[in-house]
Amino acid sequence: ACLYLGIRNTFMVPVGVKVNRRQYNKSFKTLNQVGWECFIACQKPERIDEIIEEAKEFPNISCVVLDDFKVLNHGIPRYKEFPLSTLEDINRKLHNNSVRRLDSWMVLYTYQFGVNEEEDKEFQPYMDEFDGVIMWTWQEKDVHLIPEKFELFKKLTPKTRRMVGCYLY
């Protein structure tokens, strides 16, 4: 699908299914950059080691993405379950390992910012810890908000690289 659509860089975010990352990485060899979702690293830091190990064989693995980092989990934003030091440890491992530097990215949905200024300020240190942040809409009805939300997104992410996500069906 990536080759057919001309995609050269991708984040792989398997949702609700187990995948054989090695098999996918083989098929991704022609891509420039590949990132793997690994939110579980907040609970199990050793999972980062697995991706770093795979990066030895697959030089286009360039990053890890934490999907749904701010999504509610039983009414509590998921990021509040982990101290900021957890992200710092993950980054230290990604940035300083025996293979090469890998970056950390997070997903931020348009409904998760620009609603409550205090909440945005509280979340800021977490966003600053990532190398990059990807802005996504959650629902199709919010697509018209993208220009306004993107301006705010730029203000909230002055220290990180940015991307805007695009769903393909």
Side-chain angles (χ1 to χ4, degrees):
C2 289
L3 293 176
Y4 178 77
L5 294 170
I7 294 170
R8 305 303 301 154
N9 306 301
T10 191
F11 287 113
M12 185 64 172
V13 183
V15 178
V17 294
K18 288 189 178 264
V19 298
N20 181 327
R21 278 199 316 254
R22 181 167 168 55
Q23 193 62 41
Y24 272 94
N25 284 326
K26 285 180 181 180
S27 70
F28 291 156
K29 278 189 174 188
T30 60
L31 301 181
N32 295 333
Q33 294 183 70
V34 174
W36 280 96
E37 197 282 331
C38 196
F39 181 84
I40 192 70
C42 291
Q43 297 163 316
K44 298 179 180 183
E46 66 275 9
R47 297 298 284 274
I48 292 294
D49 296 328
E50 295 171 14
I51 294 173
I52 292 169
E53 188 64 27
E54 291 165 7
K56 281 182 187 176
E57 183 177 354
F58 302 100
N60 60 351
I61 294 177
S62 60
C63 61
V64 167
V65 61
L66 301 187
D67 189 28
D68 294 346
F69 187 68
K70 197 177 178 190
V71 171
L72 295 179
N73 185 22
H74 304 293
I76 300 169
R78 289 175 80 181
Y79 76 92
K80 289 187 177 187
E81 298 175 5
F82 310 102
L84 193 55
S85 61
T86 300
L87 278 182
E88 293 166 349
D89 292 344
I90 289 170
N91 270 336
R92 207 172 357 270
K93 195 178 269 195
L94 288 170
H95 294 169
N96 306 303
N97 60 71
S98 63
V99 178
R100 69 180 162 280
R101 176 192 166 100
L102 300 176
D103 290 334
S104 63
W105 285 78
M106 71 160 284
V107 169
L108 185 66
Y109 296 101
T110 54
Y111 78 89
Q112 296 175 322
F113 64 94
V115 178
N116 179 318
E117 191 174 336
E118 282 303 309
E119 191 176 300
D120 288 347
K121 285 180 184 176
E122 180 182 312
F123 189 62
Q124 190 70 54
Y126 287 88
M127 285 195 295
D128 290 345
E129 190 60 35
F130 287 92
D131 298 305
V133 181
I134 314 162
M135 183 186 91
W136 290 82
T137 58
W138 186 259
Q139 296 181 331
E140 184 179 354
K141 71 175 181 58
D142 295 333
V143 168
H144 75 280
L145 299 174
I146 290 174
E148 172 188 335
K149 286 289 191 165
F150 186 68
E151 290 307 312
L152 180 56
F153 177 62
K154 290 190 297 188
K155 291 177 185 170
L156 293 172
T157 55
K159 299 178 181 180
T160 61
R161 288 177 285 159
R162 305 175 194 105
M163 278 195 267
V164 175
C166 175
Y167 294 103
L168 299 174
Y169 294 98

